[in-house]
Amino acid sequence: MLKTLRIKNFKAWEDTGPISMAPITLFFGANSSGKSSIGQFLMMLKQTAASSDQRTVFYPGRDDAAVQLGSFREMVYGRNLRKEIEFEYRWSSPNTLSFKDPISDPERVCSGDELDFQAIIASYKKIPFVSRLKYELFEADESVLSIGMERPRKRKANYVVAPDSYKLKRSQGRAWPLGAPIQFYGFPDEVVAYHQNADFVKDLNFQHEKLFQSISYLGPIRIKAKRLYSWTGVEPENVGNSGENAIAAFLAARKRRINLGTKKPYKSFNEVIASKLKEMGLIEEFEVQAISAQRQEFEVRIRTRLSEDWVDLPDVGFGISQVLPVLVQCFYAPRDSIIVMEQPELHLHPRAQSALADVMIDVINSREDRVDRNIQLIIETHSEHFLRRLQRRIAEGAEGEKRVVPEQVSAYFARADGERPVLEPLDIDDYGYIKNWPDHFFGDEMGDIMEQTKSALKRCREQKGITSSGDE
């Protein structure tokens, strides 16, 4: 789970400032305020880590990618190639990491459960390169190990390894120059080959790869509903960037059983999805069934509250087909997953948007095989109803219908401050109040009400004046 994040000189952001991440992390803001760039940055790093080209510092993505960001020049703030993209994040590992020093200090064991990573990406002749990277291992907020690589500022200088509080011992033999880092994050093989006690850097690389493997993305526009869905029995990695694998994921998960918090009963995956659609007021009954035993095709059948008839998914409101991939991804994602979503509330009416917030609370509290699923949700949204329901649930406290505490919710508002966007943290207290509610957060509601009242009074006076003059 991501704990903190900070990005500098990326797209609209000169500096996001430190972002505190929680199980539910929300980003609000006006259009073109820069909030989408935060999720895009994470997905670009994921795409890079998954790329087979180890020399690519940043993989911008092609047509089928979650994000397509173009060249380094198009990514860097102000398109100024003299600037460097800097970023730092810290994440918790599901398992404790332990590293021994077999040469310099055989008795020493470095262990921790959180990693911090920092990187600076510069460019030379429009080609990006890693200027500096650094890992730091923490145990109970105490640094126990720090190591990195950097290239001195001198032109054509070689990379050097820079450990802190850990002494590397060189292997015997000729010292060849170190190769460049693997993509934006990895120590090259030469670091291990040139030192007798540097094997642990491979584990750092691996932990980084695991972090980005755990991240999935669901975009704001999901694919339209179909009458028939093919499924060959393959388990997809996720529902896809546009929800194209949602039904395949649903069918693959039918035998899984999930509960929505301690002391709550376990339900089948089918029951969980159907119950959430019903709680949102979208359906009465829901099922996915094969059209025949001889064919690998399935249809999604729905019965609404206003009808006794079952109908196909394309025959009901558009909102159901748009929210179904959201629900499936939230409960299909494996344990310790991070889900990045844009506007999950799209095409839902206000009641359903409020209920969707309750679904997200259930997601972060859900358990499978008697173990917490430990899901993190990073959501870009425009929904006031979504936020208001979260505030209500926080105010209700631990004994409320849906248990969530302020520490489980982190919210930010992106606003324009002159020519530069500013990311403002929202201070939510134990009673669900936002102490620093931004001006015009969801438009100027009070201003609209006042202007409506003034206009109505003016028209009433005018109409009375016309009526009086006509009577005369």
Side-chain angles (χ1 to χ4, degrees), residues 234-280:
V234 174
E235 295 186 13
E237 182 179 345
N238 49 58
V239 302
N241 299 334
S242 301
E244 62 271 18
N245 300 325
I247 301 305
F250 179 92
L251 291 167
R254 285 179 297 180
K255 294 183 179 180
R256 290 170 57 181
R257 297 185 64 81
I258 295 172
N259 82 353
L260 304 181
T262 307
K263 298 182 179 179
K264 292 188 177 181
Y266 276 84
K267 296 181 179 180
S268 70
F269 192 89
N270 304 32
E271 291 175 312
V272 170
I273 300 301
S275 67
K276 293 306 152 192
L277 287 169
K278 187 172 182 179
E279 288 171 17
M280 296 172 71

mmCIF file of all heavy atoms in Angstrom, residues 234-280:
data_model
loop_
_atom_site.group_PDB
_atom_site.id
_atom_site.type_symbol
_atom_site.label_atom_id
_atom_site.label_comp_id
_atom_site.label_asym_id
_atom_site.label_seq_id
_atom_site.Cartn_x
_atom_site.Cartn_y
_atom_site.Cartn_z
ATOM 1 N N VAL A 234 -10.187 -18.588 -18.994
ATOM 2 C CA VAL A 234 -8.950 -17.908 -18.590
ATOM 3 C C VAL A 234 -9.259 -16.850 -17.534
ATOM 4 O O VAL A 234 -10.262 -16.135 -17.629
ATOM 5 C CB VAL A 234 -8.268 -17.254 -19.807
ATOM 6 C CG1 VAL A 234 -7.061 -16.433 -19.387
ATOM 7 C CG2 VAL A 234 -7.881 -18.316 -20.823
ATOM 8 N N GLU A 235 -8.401 -16.743 -16.514
ATOM 9 C CA GLU A 235 -8.565 -15.730 -15.475
ATOM 10 C C GLU A 235 -7.820 -14.466 -15.894
ATOM 11 O O GLU A 235 -6.592 -14.462 -15.940
ATOM 12 C CB GLU A 235 -8.027 -16.224 -14.138
ATOM 13 C CG GLU A 235 -8.781 -17.395 -13.554
ATOM 14 C CD GLU A 235 -8.300 -17.749 -12.160
ATOM 15 O OE1 GLU A 235 -7.566 -16.935 -11.562
ATOM 16 O OE2 GLU A 235 -8.656 -18.833 -11.670
ATOM 17 N N PRO A 236 -8.516 -13.382 -16.207
ATOM 18 C CA PRO A 236 -7.812 -12.147 -16.589
ATOM 19 C C PRO A 236 -7.100 -11.537 -15.392
ATOM 20 O O PRO A 236 -7.475 -11.764 -14.234
ATOM 21 C CB PRO A 236 -8.940 -11.242 -17.093
ATOM 22 C CG PRO A 236 -10.160 -11.728 -16.392
ATOM 23 C CD PRO A 236 -9.984 -13.209 -16.220
ATOM 24 N N GLU A 237 -6.067 -10.755 -15.682
ATOM 25 C CA GLU A 237 -5.325 -10.094 -14.605
ATOM 26 C C GLU A 237 -6.204 -9.089 -13.872
ATOM 27 O O GLU A 237 -6.126 -8.941 -12.656
ATOM 28 C CB GLU A 237 -4.092 -9.399 -15.185
ATOM 29 C CG GLU A 237 -3.217 -8.709 -14.155
ATOM 30 C CD GLU A 237 -1.995 -8.058 -14.779
ATOM 31 O OE1 GLU A 237 -1.675 -8.375 -15.930
ATOM 32 O OE2 GLU A 237 -1.365 -7.222 -14.094
ATOM 33 N N ASN A 238 -7.043 -8.379 -14.632
ATOM 34 C CA ASN A 238 -7.966 -7.405 -14.057
ATOM 35 C C ASN A 238 -9.100 -7.187 -15.062
ATOM 36 O O ASN A 238 -9.166 -7.882 -16.080
ATOM 37 C CB ASN A 238 -7.247 -6.087 -13.723
ATOM 38 C CG ASN A 238 -6.413 -5.578 -14.888
ATOM 39 O OD1 ASN A 238 -6.923 -5.345 -15.984
ATOM 40 N ND2 ASN A 238 -5.112 -5.402 -14.664
ATOM 41 N N VAL A 239 -9.967 -6.235 -14.801
ATOM 42 C CA VAL A 239 -11.109 -6.028 -15.703
ATOM 43 C C VAL A 239 -10.736 -5.257 -16.956
ATOM 44 O O VAL A 239 -11.565 -5.104 -17.859
ATOM 45 C CB VAL A 239 -12.271 -5.304 -14.981
ATOM 46 C CG1 VAL A 239 -12.731 -6.077 -13.769
ATOM 47 C CG2 VAL A 239 -11.893 -3.868 -14.617
ATOM 48 N N GLY A 240 -9.482 -4.784 -17.037
ATOM 49 C CA GLY A 240 -9.056 -4.013 -18.202
ATOM 50 C C GLY A 240 -9.225 -2.529 -17.985
ATOM 51 O O GLY A 240 -10.005 -2.082 -17.139
ATOM 52 N N ASN A 241 -8.492 -1.744 -18.750
ATOM 53 C CA ASN A 241 -8.509 -0.287 -18.585
ATOM 54 C C ASN A 241 -9.877 0.326 -18.846
ATOM 55 O O ASN A 241 -10.196 1.396 -18.315
ATOM 56 C CB ASN A 241 -7.484 0.353 -19.529
ATOM 57 C CG ASN A 241 -6.064 -0.113 -19.245
ATOM 58 O OD1 ASN A 241 -5.735 -0.495 -18.135
ATOM 59 N ND2 ASN A 241 -5.216 -0.086 -20.270
ATOM 60 N N SER A 242 -10.699 -0.336 -19.676
ATOM 61 C CA SER A 242 -12.040 0.161 -19.986
ATOM 62 C C SER A 242 -13.123 -0.802 -19.539
ATOM 63 O O SER A 242 -14.272 -0.700 -19.978
ATOM 64 C CB SER A 242 -12.165 0.422 -21.497
ATOM 65 O OG SER A 242 -11.215 1.362 -21.933
ATOM 66 N N GLY A 243 -12.768 -1.758 -18.708
ATOM 67 C CA GLY A 243 -13.749 -2.719 -18.215
ATOM 68 C C GLY A 243 -14.068 -3.822 -19.195
ATOM 69 O O GLY A 243 -15.043 -4.552 -19.009
ATOM 70 N N GLU A 244 -13.230 -4.005 -20.218
ATOM 71 C CA GLU A 244 -13.535 -4.986 -21.263
ATOM 72 C C GLU A 244 -13.486 -6.421 -20.776
ATOM 73 O O GLU A 244 -14.061 -7.329 -21.396
ATOM 74 C CB GLU A 244 -12.580 -4.798 -22.446
ATOM 75 C CG GLU A 244 -11.106 -5.021 -22.133
ATOM 76 C CD GLU A 244 -10.369 -3.778 -21.665
ATOM 77 O OE1 GLU A 244 -11.046 -2.812 -21.242
ATOM 78 O OE2 GLU A 244 -9.124 -3.767 -21.698
ATOM 79 N N ASN A 245 -12.807 -6.672 -19.652
ATOM 80 C CA ASN A 245 -12.704 -8.029 -19.112
ATOM 81 C C ASN A 245 -13.587 -8.240 -17.886
ATOM 82 O O ASN A 245 -13.395 -9.210 -17.147
ATOM 83 C CB ASN A 245 -11.245 -8.341 -18.744
ATOM 84 C CG ASN A 245 -10.314 -8.244 -19.917
ATOM 85 O OD1 ASN A 245 -10.672 -8.572 -21.044
ATOM 86 N ND2 ASN A 245 -9.098 -7.772 -19.666
ATOM 87 N N ALA A 246 -14.537 -7.360 -17.661
ATOM 88 C CA ALA A 246 -15.320 -7.417 -16.424
ATOM 89 C C ALA A 246 -16.100 -8.718 -16.300
ATOM 90 O O ALA A 246 -16.118 -9.347 -15.232
ATOM 91 C CB ALA A 246 -16.263 -6.221 -16.338
ATOM 92 N N ILE A 247 -16.773 -9.158 -17.361
ATOM 93 C CA ILE A 247 -17.579 -10.367 -17.272
ATOM 94 C C ILE A 247 -16.694 -11.597 -17.173
ATOM 95 O O ILE A 247 -17.001 -12.541 -16.423
ATOM 96 C CB ILE A 247 -18.542 -10.461 -18.482
ATOM 97 C CG1 ILE A 247 -19.450 -9.232 -18.522
ATOM 98 C CG2 ILE A 247 -19.374 -11.725 -18.403
ATOM 99 C CD1 ILE A 247 -20.235 -8.979 -17.249
ATOM 100 N N ALA A 248 -15.572 -11.610 -17.890
ATOM 101 C CA ALA A 248 -14.624 -12.721 -17.765
ATOM 102 C C ALA A 248 -14.098 -12.819 -16.330
ATOM 103 O O ALA A 248 -13.981 -13.916 -15.771
ATOM 104 C CB ALA A 248 -13.471 -12.546 -18.749
ATOM 105 N N ALA A 249 -13.783 -11.690 -15.730
ATOM 106 C CA ALA A 249 -13.319 -11.685 -14.338
ATOM 107 C C ALA A 249 -14.422 -12.162 -13.400
ATOM 108 O O ALA A 249 -14.166 -12.932 -12.457
ATOM 109 C CB ALA A 249 -12.857 -10.276 -13.954
ATOM 110 N N PHE A 250 -15.652 -11.721 -13.646
ATOM 111 C CA PHE A 250 -16.790 -12.151 -12.831
ATOM 112 C C PHE A 250 -16.937 -13.673 -12.875
ATOM 113 O O PHE A 250 -17.095 -14.328 -11.839
ATOM 114 C CB PHE A 250 -18.065 -11.471 -13.343
ATOM 115 C CG PHE A 250 -19.310 -11.850 -12.608
ATOM 116 C CD1 PHE A 250 -19.758 -11.110 -11.527
ATOM 117 C CD2 PHE A 250 -20.047 -12.971 -12.982
ATOM 118 C CE1 PHE A 250 -20.911 -11.464 -10.838
ATOM 119 C CE2 PHE A 250 -21.193 -13.340 -12.308
ATOM 120 C CZ PHE A 250 -21.630 -12.575 -11.233
ATOM 121 N N LEU A 251 -16.867 -14.254 -14.069
ATOM 122 C CA LEU A 251 -17.016 -15.703 -14.214
ATOM 123 C C LEU A 251 -15.842 -16.444 -13.590
ATOM 124 O O LEU A 251 -16.022 -17.498 -12.969
ATOM 125 C CB LEU A 251 -17.144 -16.045 -15.696
ATOM 126 C CG LEU A 251 -18.441 -15.580 -16.367
ATOM 127 C CD1 LEU A 251 -18.325 -15.671 -17.881
ATOM 128 C CD2 LEU A 251 -19.633 -16.394 -15.865
ATOM 129 N N ALA A 252 -14.639 -15.890 -13.721
ATOM 130 C CA ALA A 252 -13.454 -16.536 -13.153
ATOM 131 C C ALA A 252 -13.479 -16.549 -11.628
ATOM 132 O O ALA A 252 -12.838 -17.396 -11.002
ATOM 133 C CB ALA A 252 -12.197 -15.832 -13.648
ATOM 134 N N ALA A 253 -14.217 -15.625 -11.029
ATOM 135 C CA ALA A 253 -14.216 -15.472 -9.561
ATOM 136 C C ALA A 253 -15.423 -16.122 -8.898
ATOM 137 O O ALA A 253 -15.618 -15.943 -7.695
ATOM 138 C CB ALA A 253 -14.168 -13.990 -9.203
ATOM 139 N N ARG A 254 -16.229 -16.870 -9.642
ATOM 140 C CA ARG A 254 -17.492 -17.368 -9.090
ATOM 141 C C ARG A 254 -17.315 -18.232 -7.847
ATOM 142 O O ARG A 254 -18.195 -18.251 -6.984
ATOM 143 C CB ARG A 254 -18.250 -18.159 -10.166
ATOM 144 C CG ARG A 254 -18.899 -17.283 -11.226
ATOM 145 C CD ARG A 254 -19.608 -18.101 -12.284
ATOM 146 N NE ARG A 254 -18.675 -18.942 -13.034
ATOM 147 C CZ ARG A 254 -19.032 -19.751 -14.020
ATOM 148 N NH1 ARG A 254 -20.321 -19.837 -14.353
ATOM 149 N NH2 ARG A 254 -18.133 -20.476 -14.664
ATOM 150 N N LYS A 255 -16.201 -18.933 -7.726
ATOM 151 C CA LYS A 255 -16.003 -19.820 -6.568
ATOM 152 C C LYS A 255 -15.396 -19.096 -5.368
ATOM 153 O O LYS A 255 -15.292 -19.699 -4.280
ATOM 154 C CB LYS A 255 -15.112 -20.994 -6.972
ATOM 155 C CG LYS A 255 -15.751 -21.918 -7.999
ATOM 156 C CD LYS A 255 -14.852 -23.104 -8.314
ATOM 157 C CE LYS A 255 -15.504 -24.035 -9.331
ATOM 158 N NZ LYS A 255 -14.635 -25.198 -9.651
ATOM 159 N N ARG A 256 -14.993 -17.855 -5.541
ATOM 160 C CA ARG A 256 -14.420 -17.120 -4.420
ATOM 161 C C ARG A 256 -15.514 -16.687 -3.449
ATOM 162 O O ARG A 256 -16.648 -16.420 -3.840
ATOM 163 C CB ARG A 256 -13.645 -15.900 -4.930
ATOM 164 C CG ARG A 256 -12.367 -16.274 -5.658
ATOM 165 C CD ARG A 256 -11.748 -15.088 -6.358
ATOM 166 N NE ARG A 256 -11.468 -13.971 -5.462
ATOM 167 C CZ ARG A 256 -10.941 -12.814 -5.857
ATOM 168 N NH1 ARG A 256 -10.642 -12.648 -7.148
ATOM 169 N NH2 ARG A 256 -10.708 -11.855 -4.996
ATOM 170 N N ARG A 257 -15.132 -16.605 -2.172
ATOM 171 C CA ARG A 257 -16.074 -16.171 -1.139
ATOM 172 C C ARG A 257 -15.445 -15.019 -0.353
ATOM 173 O O ARG A 257 -14.285 -15.099 0.056
ATOM 174 C CB ARG A 257 -16.455 -17.320 -0.203
ATOM 175 C CG ARG A 257 -17.171 -18.453 -0.932
ATOM 176 C CD ARG A 257 -17.659 -19.531 0.016
ATOM 177 N NE ARG A 257 -18.666 -19.044 0.952
ATOM 178 C CZ ARG A 257 -19.957 -18.896 0.650
ATOM 179 N NH1 ARG A 257 -20.403 -19.175 -0.571
ATOM 180 N NH2 ARG A 257 -20.816 -18.466 1.543
ATOM 181 N N ILE A 258 -16.218 -13.972 -0.171
ATOM 182 C CA ILE A 258 -15.719 -12.726 0.420
ATOM 183 C C ILE A 258 -16.679 -12.281 1.509
ATOM 184 O O ILE A 258 -17.904 -12.438 1.376
ATOM 185 C CB ILE A 258 -15.600 -11.632 -0.671
ATOM 186 C CG1 ILE A 258 -14.536 -12.022 -1.705
ATOM 187 C CG2 ILE A 258 -15.272 -10.269 -0.072
ATOM 188 C CD1 ILE A 258 -14.473 -11.115 -2.902
ATOM 189 N N ASN A 259 -16.118 -11.744 2.593
ATOM 190 C CA ASN A 259 -16.997 -11.052 3.537
ATOM 191 C C ASN A 259 -16.604 -9.587 3.593
ATOM 192 O O ASN A 259 -15.516 -9.199 3.166
ATOM 193 C CB ASN A 259 -17.024 -11.722 4.913
ATOM 194 C CG ASN A 259 -15.853 -11.345 5.804
ATOM 195 O OD1 ASN A 259 -14.910 -10.671 5.388
ATOM 196 N ND2 ASN A 259 -15.889 -11.800 7.031
ATOM 197 N N LEU A 260 -17.504 -8.765 4.087
ATOM 198 C CA LEU A 260 -17.324 -7.318 3.994
ATOM 199 C C LEU A 260 -16.968 -6.704 5.341
ATOM 200 O O LEU A 260 -17.331 -5.575 5.643
ATOM 201 C CB LEU A 260 -18.600 -6.679 3.422
ATOM 202 C CG LEU A 260 -19.026 -7.257 2.065
ATOM 203 C CD1 LEU A 260 -20.278 -6.573 1.558
ATOM 204 C CD2 LEU A 260 -17.912 -7.157 1.039
ATOM 205 N N GLY A 261 -16.225 -7.457 6.128
ATOM 206 C CA GLY A 261 -15.773 -6.957 7.416
ATOM 207 C C GLY A 261 -15.871 -8.028 8.484
ATOM 208 O O GLY A 261 -16.560 -9.052 8.330
ATOM 209 N N THR A 262 -15.139 -7.813 9.571
ATOM 210 C CA THR A 262 -15.130 -8.768 10.670
ATOM 211 C C THR A 262 -16.543 -9.037 11.176
ATOM 212 O O THR A 262 -17.364 -8.131 11.295
ATOM 213 C CB THR A 262 -14.253 -8.238 11.812
ATOM 214 O OG1 THR A 262 -12.965 -7.896 11.287
ATOM 215 C CG2 THR A 262 -14.087 -9.273 12.908
ATOM 216 N N LYS A 263 -16.822 -10.312 11.451
ATOM 217 C CA LYS A 263 -18.098 -10.786 12.003
ATOM 218 C C LYS A 263 -19.260 -10.717 11.007
ATOM 219 O O LYS A 263 -20.409 -10.899 11.381
ATOM 220 C CB LYS A 263 -18.470 -10.011 13.278
ATOM 221 C CG LYS A 263 -17.475 -10.172 14.418
ATOM 222 C CD LYS A 263 -17.924 -9.430 15.656
ATOM 223 C CE LYS A 263 -16.925 -9.618 16.785
ATOM 224 N NZ LYS A 263 -17.332 -8.879 18.019
ATOM 225 N N LYS A 264 -18.947 -10.444 9.746
ATOM 226 C CA LYS A 264 -19.994 -10.474 8.731
ATOM 227 C C LYS A 264 -19.889 -11.781 7.953
ATOM 228 O O LYS A 264 -18.801 -12.352 7.808
ATOM 229 C CB LYS A 264 -19.867 -9.270 7.793
ATOM 230 C CG LYS A 264 -20.172 -7.951 8.492
ATOM 231 C CD LYS A 264 -20.226 -6.792 7.512
ATOM 232 C CE LYS A 264 -20.606 -5.495 8.227
ATOM 233 N NZ LYS A 264 -20.691 -4.346 7.292
ATOM 234 N N PRO A 265 -20.998 -12.290 7.431
ATOM 235 C CA PRO A 265 -20.973 -13.599 6.765
ATOM 236 C C PRO A 265 -20.238 -13.548 5.427
ATOM 237 O O PRO A 265 -20.218 -12.515 4.753
ATOM 238 C CB PRO A 265 -22.458 -13.906 6.563
ATOM 239 C CG PRO A 265 -23.121 -12.567 6.507
ATOM 240 C CD PRO A 265 -22.359 -11.708 7.462
ATOM 241 N N TYR A 266 -19.667 -14.699 5.066
ATOM 242 C CA TYR A 266 -19.051 -14.812 3.753
ATOM 243 C C TYR A 266 -20.135 -15.028 2.701
ATOM 244 O O TYR A 266 -21.114 -15.734 2.931
ATOM 245 C CB TYR A 266 -18.061 -15.974 3.719
ATOM 246 C CG TYR A 266 -16.698 -15.606 4.255
ATOM 247 C CD1 TYR A 266 -16.437 -15.640 5.619
ATOM 248 C CD2 TYR A 266 -15.677 -15.209 3.402
ATOM 249 C CE1 TYR A 266 -15.187 -15.297 6.117
ATOM 250 C CE2 TYR A 266 -14.423 -14.864 3.885
ATOM 251 C CZ TYR A 266 -14.186 -14.907 5.242
ATOM 252 O OH TYR A 266 -12.956 -14.549 5.736
ATOM 253 N N LYS A 267 -19.938 -14.406 1.546
ATOM 254 C CA LYS A 267 -20.857 -14.566 0.426
ATOM 255 C C LYS A 267 -20.060 -14.942 -0.821
ATOM 256 O O LYS A 267 -18.882 -14.630 -0.931
ATOM 257 C CB LYS A 267 -21.619 -13.264 0.160
ATOM 258 C CG LYS A 267 -22.541 -12.824 1.293
ATOM 259 C CD LYS A 267 -23.272 -11.535 0.909
ATOM 260 C CE LYS A 267 -24.215 -11.081 2.004
ATOM 261 N NZ LYS A 267 -24.924 -9.831 1.632
ATOM 262 N N SER A 268 -20.736 -15.583 -1.763
ATOM 263 C CA SER A 268 -20.083 -15.872 -3.027
ATOM 264 C C SER A 268 -19.829 -14.568 -3.774
ATOM 265 O O SER A 268 -20.477 -13.549 -3.522
ATOM 266 C CB SER A 268 -20.952 -16.798 -3.880
ATOM 267 O OG SER A 268 -22.111 -16.104 -4.333
ATOM 268 N N PHE A 269 -18.886 -14.616 -4.708
ATOM 269 C CA PHE A 269 -18.576 -13.427 -5.504
ATOM 270 C C PHE A 269 -19.831 -12.922 -6.207
ATOM 271 O O PHE A 269 -20.097 -11.719 -6.246
ATOM 272 C CB PHE A 269 -17.480 -13.755 -6.516
ATOM 273 C CG PHE A 269 -16.884 -12.554 -7.182
ATOM 274 C CD1 PHE A 269 -15.803 -11.898 -6.627
ATOM 275 C CD2 PHE A 269 -17.406 -12.069 -8.375
ATOM 276 C CE1 PHE A 269 -15.240 -10.793 -7.238
ATOM 277 C CE2 PHE A 269 -16.853 -10.962 -9.000
ATOM 278 C CZ PHE A 269 -15.771 -10.326 -8.419
ATOM 279 N N ASN A 270 -20.613 -13.836 -6.770
ATOM 280 C CA ASN A 270 -21.859 -13.464 -7.446
ATOM 281 C C ASN A 270 -22.783 -12.700 -6.514
ATOM 282 O O ASN A 270 -23.364 -11.672 -6.891
ATOM 283 C CB ASN A 270 -22.588 -14.709 -7.954
ATOM 284 C CG ASN A 270 -21.739 -15.555 -8.868
ATOM 285 O OD1 ASN A 270 -20.526 -15.633 -8.726
ATOM 286 N ND2 ASN A 270 -22.384 -16.208 -9.830
ATOM 287 N N GLU A 271 -22.926 -13.210 -5.287
ATOM 288 C CA GLU A 271 -23.832 -12.582 -4.318
ATOM 289 C C GLU A 271 -23.351 -11.189 -3.940
ATOM 290 O O GLU A 271 -24.168 -10.272 -3.768
ATOM 291 C CB GLU A 271 -23.955 -13.455 -3.072
ATOM 292 C CG GLU A 271 -24.695 -14.752 -3.284
ATOM 293 C CD GLU A 271 -24.680 -15.625 -2.038
ATOM 294 O OE1 GLU A 271 -23.584 -15.802 -1.451
ATOM 295 O OE2 GLU A 271 -25.747 -16.126 -1.652
ATOM 296 N N VAL A 272 -22.032 -11.028 -3.804
ATOM 297 C CA VAL A 272 -21.487 -9.713 -3.434
ATOM 298 C C VAL A 272 -21.813 -8.681 -4.507
ATOM 299 O O VAL A 272 -22.308 -7.578 -4.214
ATOM 300 C CB VAL A 272 -19.960 -9.799 -3.206
ATOM 301 C CG1 VAL A 272 -19.367 -8.403 -3.060
ATOM 302 C CG2 VAL A 272 -19.659 -10.624 -1.962
ATOM 303 N N ILE A 273 -21.556 -9.015 -5.764
ATOM 304 C CA ILE A 273 -21.802 -8.059 -6.853
ATOM 305 C C ILE A 273 -23.287 -7.752 -6.969
ATOM 306 O O ILE A 273 -23.690 -6.579 -7.095
ATOM 307 C CB ILE A 273 -21.252 -8.596 -8.186
ATOM 308 C CG1 ILE A 273 -19.738 -8.850 -8.093
ATOM 309 C CG2 ILE A 273 -21.566 -7.619 -9.315
ATOM 310 C CD1 ILE A 273 -18.918 -7.634 -7.736
ATOM 311 N N ALA A 274 -24.113 -8.786 -6.921
ATOM 312 C CA ALA A 274 -25.557 -8.578 -7.038
ATOM 313 C C ALA A 274 -26.085 -7.723 -5.891
ATOM 314 O O ALA A 274 -26.920 -6.832 -6.086
ATOM 315 C CB ALA A 274 -26.282 -9.920 -7.080
ATOM 316 N N SER A 275 -25.598 -7.981 -4.674
ATOM 317 C CA SER A 275 -26.085 -7.219 -3.511
ATOM 318 C C SER A 275 -25.677 -5.753 -3.609
ATOM 319 O O SER A 275 -26.443 -4.861 -3.217
ATOM 320 C CB SER A 275 -25.557 -7.835 -2.215
ATOM 321 O OG SER A 275 -24.147 -7.697 -2.112
ATOM 322 N N LYS A 276 -24.494 -5.477 -4.136
ATOM 323 C CA LYS A 276 -24.059 -4.086 -4.253
ATOM 324 C C LYS A 276 -24.881 -3.341 -5.311
ATOM 325 O O LYS A 276 -25.254 -2.179 -5.116
ATOM 326 C CB LYS A 276 -22.568 -4.018 -4.612
ATOM 327 C CG LYS A 276 -21.661 -4.535 -3.511
ATOM 328 C CD LYS A 276 -21.934 -3.827 -2.208
ATOM 329 C CE LYS A 276 -21.618 -4.663 -1.004
ATOM 330 N NZ LYS A 276 -22.146 -4.102 0.250
ATOM 331 N N LEU A 277 -25.166 -3.992 -6.418
ATOM 332 C CA LEU A 277 -26.024 -3.365 -7.429
ATOM 333 C C LEU A 277 -27.412 -3.085 -6.863
ATOM 334 O O LEU A 277 -28.019 -2.044 -7.150
ATOM 335 C CB LEU A 277 -26.130 -4.272 -8.652
ATOM 336 C CG LEU A 277 -24.882 -4.368 -9.546
ATOM 337 C CD1 LEU A 277 -25.039 -5.499 -10.557
ATOM 338 C CD2 LEU A 277 -24.626 -3.051 -10.254
ATOM 339 N N LYS A 278 -27.897 -3.990 -6.030
ATOM 340 C CA LYS A 278 -29.221 -3.803 -5.429
ATOM 341 C C LYS A 278 -29.198 -2.676 -4.405
ATOM 342 O O LYS A 278 -30.114 -1.843 -4.356
ATOM 343 C CB LYS A 278 -29.695 -5.105 -4.783
ATOM 344 C CG LYS A 278 -31.124 -5.047 -4.274
ATOM 345 C CD LYS A 278 -31.605 -6.412 -3.813
ATOM 346 C CE LYS A 278 -33.070 -6.341 -3.345
ATOM 347 N NZ LYS A 278 -33.558 -7.674 -2.921
ATOM 348 N N GLU A 279 -28.156 -2.625 -3.580
ATOM 349 C CA GLU A 279 -28.039 -1.562 -2.579
ATOM 350 C C GLU A 279 -27.960 -0.187 -3.235
ATOM 351 O O GLU A 279 -28.395 0.811 -2.653
ATOM 352 C CB GLU A 279 -26.795 -1.788 -1.712
ATOM 353 C CG GLU A 279 -26.933 -2.950 -0.744
ATOM 354 C CD GLU A 279 -25.623 -3.281 -0.060
ATOM 355 O OE1 GLU A 279 -24.710 -2.416 -0.095
ATOM 356 O OE2 GLU A 279 -25.490 -4.375 0.496
ATOM 357 N N MET A 280 -27.427 -0.129 -4.428
ATOM 358 C CA MET A 280 -27.331 1.137 -5.142
ATOM 359 C C MET A 280 -28.640 1.510 -5.831
ATOM 360 O O MET A 280 -28.734 2.561 -6.460
ATOM 361 C CB MET A 280 -26.192 1.064 -6.171
ATOM 362 C CG MET A 280 -24.811 0.889 -5.529
ATOM 363 S SD MET A 280 -23.494 0.587 -6.730
ATOM 364 C CE MET A 280 -23.388 2.203 -7.471
#
